[in-house]
Amino acid sequence: MMSVIGEMLSYPFLVRAFVGGILVSLCAALLGVTLVLKRYSMIGDGLSHVSFGAISVAVAAGWAPLPVSIPVVVLAAFFLLRITENGRMRSDAAIAMISASSLAIGIVVTSLTTGMTTDVSSYMFGSILAMSRGDVWLSAALSAVVLGMFVLCYHRIFAVTFDESFAKATGVNVTFYNVVTAVLTAVTIVLGMRMMGAMLISSLVIFPALTSMRVFKSFRGVVISSGVLATVCFCIGMTASYVFSTPAGASVVLVNLGAFLLFGLAETVLRRRIRWQPLRPGGRRGALPEETHGPKPAGRWKAIRPDGSKPHSHGE
Amino acid sequence: MNTLITCRHVDFGYEDRDAVVDLTMEVDEGDYLCVVGANGSGKSTLVKGLLGLIKPAAGELTVAEELRRTGIGYLPQQTAAQRDFPATVYEVVLSGTLSRRGMRPFYSAQEKRLAASCMERMGITELRKHCYRELSGGQQQRVLIARALCATSRMLILDEPITGLDPSAIQDFYRLVRRLNRDEGVTILMVSHDVANVIGQASKILHLQQRVLFFGTPEEYRKTAAGRRYLGGGE
C-alpha cells in the first residue's frame, strides 16, 4: 500500500492532481453544506454545465479556458441566485434550463470548429492530467478564502443557512453572504471540473454534506465531517483510480457513494439502538412541562418517528 | 407606558405597488397585538417594515431607541428546509445573540450565558444537545422563541407561528405566549389567521386589508362588521 502511494507521488502530475484535488474537494464540501441545506444542490450541476459551455467556446476560439470560464460561471451563479430569490420561476426549472442550454451551446460550437476531440471528452468526464501548476496555486488561494470564511464567519454562515429571514432581521447582510457563496462555488466548480468532469463535479458539492447529515446532528459536526470525508474520499478514489486504471473523477464519485451508503447503514444501526433504549423512570427527555397531559404512561421510549421519516415535509 | 413603535400614515410596499397603505397605529410596552387579515392583505409586508427590512414609502415610522439597538425578537414563518436542518437546539438558540456581537467572529461567555438563560425560560434546557429536526413542532417553536428572546426581551414579532402545529401544541403555544406577555412583560405582535383563538387573549387587534379596517380592543372588534364576518356567528 505504502509503495503504491510512493510510486504515485513520484509522478509530478499526480502530485499536482492530489494537492489540487484535495483542496478543491474540501472547498466544494464546505460550500456544499450550505448549498444542500438551502436547497440549492442543483446549482453545482448547473454551473458545471455552464462551465463546460464556456470552456468549449474558449477552446474553439483559441483562448485560455480559465480566464474565460470563471467570469462566465460567476455571472451564471449570480443569475441563478437572483432567480431563486425573486421566485418568478422555480429554481430547479431555471437551473435545468440553463444547464441544458449551455451544454448544447458547448456541443454545437465544438462540432462546428474542432470536432469532438479528446479534449472535449476530458471536460465531460474529467482528466487527471488537467491540473496545471497554476491551477494548483489557484486552488490553494481558493481554499484559503473558503476556510478563512468558514472559520471567521462560521456563526453568520450558520444563521444565514438556517434562517435567512431571521438573519436579515438581526442585521446580517444576507445578500452579501449569498453572493460570496455563489462566487466561491463558481470558482470551485471551474477548477474542479476539468479533473472531475462536467458531469461529475457536482457530486463533490452534494455528497459529503448529504453523507454527513445521515449521522451528525449538529451543524458544526456536519461541516467538519464533510470536510474530512471529502478529503478522505478523494484520496481513496484517486489511489483506486491509479491502481485499477479507472477514470479519476468517476472513481472519486463511487467512493463518495460508498461512504454515503456506509453512513446510511450507521444511521440505521444508531437509530435502532436508540429506539429500544428505555428512559430512566424520572427521565423527562423530550417531554416538556407544558406538553405533558394527564398521567404519564409507565414505560416510555425516546420519541423517534418509527419509520424514520421526516415530519412536515412540504415538497420543497 | 412607553410607546415602542408608532406608525403615522405609513405606506409599505415593493417597487411597483404598495402592500400596506396609510397605516396609523402604535404598539405600547406590554401590548399583545394581533394582526389579522386575509392572505395578501399586507401582514407579512408590515412585519418586514417593522423589522426595518423594507423602508416606508410614505409616512412616519418611529421605533423606540431601545429596540433599535438590539433589534426586535423575530419568529419568522418556518420553512420546509428548516424542519430537517441538522443543528442542535443550542446552536440555533445561540444564533439569536448574533446582533449583539458586532464584527467579533466568536461568541463570548456572556452571550453563551444569555442563550442558556433563554433556553431555561422556554424549558428546553434538557433538549440543548438534541437535534432540531427531531423535535416536535411545538418544541421547535419554543427553540425559535428562545432564539428570538436572545435578541431582545422587550418585544417579539411572531409571523403566523401556529402553522403546522397540532391542536394541543397550538394551545400550549398560546399559553406560552400569554405567559411571556403577562408575567415577563414581553410585548407581543403576532400575525395570525386564527382569529377565534387569538381574540380571547390579545389586548389589541389590527385588521389589515391593505388599509386598516380596524384597530382597537377585541371587545370593540367583535362589534364591527369586519370582526363579525371574521369571527363568524351572530347573523
Side-chain angles (χ1 to χ4, degrees):
Chain A
M1 186 63 201
M2 286 317 286
S3 67
V4 172
I5 292 175
E7 196 184 314
M8 285 172 74
L9 295 184
S10 66
Y11 298 102
F13 79 91
L14 271 181
V15 174
R16 284 202 301 273
F18 254 101
V19 175
I22 287 174
L23 295 174
V24 168
S25 320
L26 188 63
C27 294
L30 292 181
L31 295 167
V33 174
T34 69
L35 290 178
V36 166
L37 287 173
K38 282 161 100 172
R39 302 286 198 262
Y40 292 164
S41 306
M42 288 312 286
I43 273 190
D45 201 46
L47 292 182
S48 64
H49 288 77
V50 173
S51 178
F52 173 80
I55 286 187
S56 313
V57 173
V59 168
W63 299 323
L66 279 192
V68 177
S69 52
I70 288 183
V72 171
V73 177
V74 167
L75 274 181
F78 274 122
F79 185 63
L80 288 179
L81 271 184
R82 278 233 76 87
I83 291 180
T84 317
E85 278 172 2
N86 286 347
R88 291 229 177 94
M89 196 174 184
R90 285 183 59 94
S91 63
D92 53 347
I95 293 174
M97 200 183 74
I98 289 176
S99 46
S101 317
S102 1
L103 198 58
I105 293 176
I107 293 171
V108 167
V109 168
T110 311
S111 66
L112 283 180
T113 52
T114 53
M116 285 289 180
T117 58
T118 42
D119 255 11
V120 178
S121 144
S122 83
Y123 292 149
M124 286 281 220
F125 303 110
S127 156
I128 199 163
L129 301 169
M131 273 282 166
S132 71
R133 191 173 282 274
D135 291 356
V136 175
W137 281 113
L138 202 52
S139 318
L142 171 76
S143 42
V145 173
V146 171
L147 281 178
M149 183 173 99
F150 266 84
V151 171
L152 292 179
C153 308
Y154 170 80
H155 295 290
R156 285 195 178 76
I157 292 174
F158 171 78
V160 172
T161 311
F162 181 69
D163 192 338
E164 280 196 7
S165 318
F166 185 84
K168 251 187 219 162
T170 46
V172 177
N173 190 341
V174 171
T175 314
F176 171 76
Y177 278 91
N178 282 340
V179 166
V180 169
T181 310
V183 170
L184 292 175
T185 310
V187 178
T188 308
I189 297 240
V190 174
L191 273 177
M193 189 200 99
R194 290 180 302 153
M195 184 160 71
M196 293 292 293
M199 300 287 139
L200 301 169
I201 177 72
S202 59
S203 67
L204 287 190
V205 175
I206 55 174
F207 258 125
L210 283 182
T211 307
S212 309
M213 279 164 61
R214 300 301 291 264
V215 168
F216 288 92
K217 292 180 172 182
S218 68
F219 188 69
R220 185 182 298 261
V222 171
V223 169
I224 293 174
S225 151
S226 297
V228 172
L229 259 178
T231 317
V232 171
C233 288
F234 181 81
C235 291
I236 296 176
M238 279 296 274
T239 313
S241 132
Y242 178 77
V243 173
F244 303 112
S245 310
T246 47
S251 315
V252 172
V253 174
L254 285 184
V255 173
N256 268 303
L257 174 66
F260 178 77
L261 296 176
L262 209 64
F263 271 57
L265 192 71
E267 182 202 26
T268 321
V269 172
L270 280 176
R271 254 172 206 266
R272 187 149 299 164
R273 273 212 2 233
I274 292 169
R275 192 175 310 148
W276 296 111
Q277 170 194 7
L279 288 170
R280 60 199 160 77
R284 298 189 313 161
R285 179 165 287 186
L288 289 165
E290 288 180 34
E291 284 189 341
T292 46
H293 300 287
K296 291 167 189 164
R300 285 181 299 133
W301 311 105
K302 196 169 163 182
I304 282 185
R305 290 170 186 84
D307 54 350
S309 68
K310 291 166 197 147
H312 325 290
S313 53
H314 299 297
E316 208 196 7
Chain B
M1 195 185 285
N2 279 328
T3 302
L4 294 178
I5 296 179
T6 318
C7 295
R8 294 265 166 268
H9 307 291
V10 171
D11 291 1
F12 285 119
Y14 302 99
E15 297 139 24
D16 39 357
R17 59 180 194 93
D18 282 345
V20 178
V21 178
D22 194 26
L23 169 76
T24 297
M25 63 143 194
E26 66 278 332
V27 183
D28 296 325
E29 204 172 342
D31 268 357
Y32 187 152
L33 171 67
C34 268
V35 183
V36 299
N39 285 336
S41 58
K43 300 186 302 268
S44 294
T45 312
L46 170 66
V47 167
K48 282 187 187 143
L50 295 180
L51 290 169
L53 300 180
I54 52 175
K55 296 250 172 302
E60 192 186 335
L61 169 70
T62 324
V63 178
E65 180 60 36
E66 54 209 272
L67 286 184
R68 252 179 292 165
R69 229 178 314 118
T70 54
I72 297 169
Y74 177 39
L75 191 89
Q77 293 183 27
Q78 280 207 66
T79 60
Q82 252 169 43
R83 291 210 162 98
D84 56 337
F85 198 95
T88 59
V89 167
Y90 184 60
E91 283 180 312
V92 174
V93 174
L94 196 57
S95 74
T97 64
L98 207 59
S99 62
R100 295 173 183 263
R101 218 184 43 175
M103 289 309 290
R104 271 179 297 128
F106 305 107
Y107 291 113
S108 67
Q110 193 193 351
E111 280 142 6
K112 287 176 184 163
R113 271 201 303 279
L114 176 67
S117 81
C118 289
M119 287 194 292
E120 191 64 51
R121 281 163 78 182
M122 286 297 107
I124 51 172
T125 304
E126 297 199 343
L127 299 172
R128 71 197 298 271
K129 293 232 168 78
H130 280 233
C131 186
Y132 182 77
R133 65 183 164 197
E134 285 169 5
L135 304 181
S136 70
Q139 290 170 333
Q140 289 184 343
Q141 219 52 306
R142 276 167 191 264
V143 173
L144 296 184
I145 294 184
R147 177 182 68 165
L149 287 174
C150 282
T152 178
S153 295
R154 304 303 297 262
M155 179 168 180
L156 287 184
I157 293 188
L158 314 167
D159 196 353
E160 301 199 5
I162 57 164
T163 315
L165 295 187
D166 57 55
S168 84
I170 289 178
Q171 292 310 323
D172 281 330
F173 181 78
Y174 282 135
R175 252 200 303 280
L176 185 74
V177 174
R178 214 158 46 222
R179 200 194 77 208
L180 279 175
N181 178 248
R182 216 174 274 163
D183 304 346
E184 306 196 20
V186 180
T187 308
I188 305 282
L189 189 152
M190 178 155 77
V191 172
S192 184
H193 277 303
D194 187 16
V195 191
N197 260 313
V198 149
I199 198 159
Q201 39 193 327
S203 63
K204 281 181 184 173
I205 301 278
L206 172 67
H207 189 146
L208 270 186
Q209 184 62 53
Q210 274 199 303
R211 298 172 175 278
V212 178
L213 285 189
F214 175 83
F215 178 61
T217 63
E219 291 73 35
E220 290 162 359
Y221 184 61
R222 279 181 215 275
K223 292 174 195 152
T224 62
R228 275 206 301 274
R229 201 173 65 240
Y230 248 58
L231 290 165
E235 284 172 52

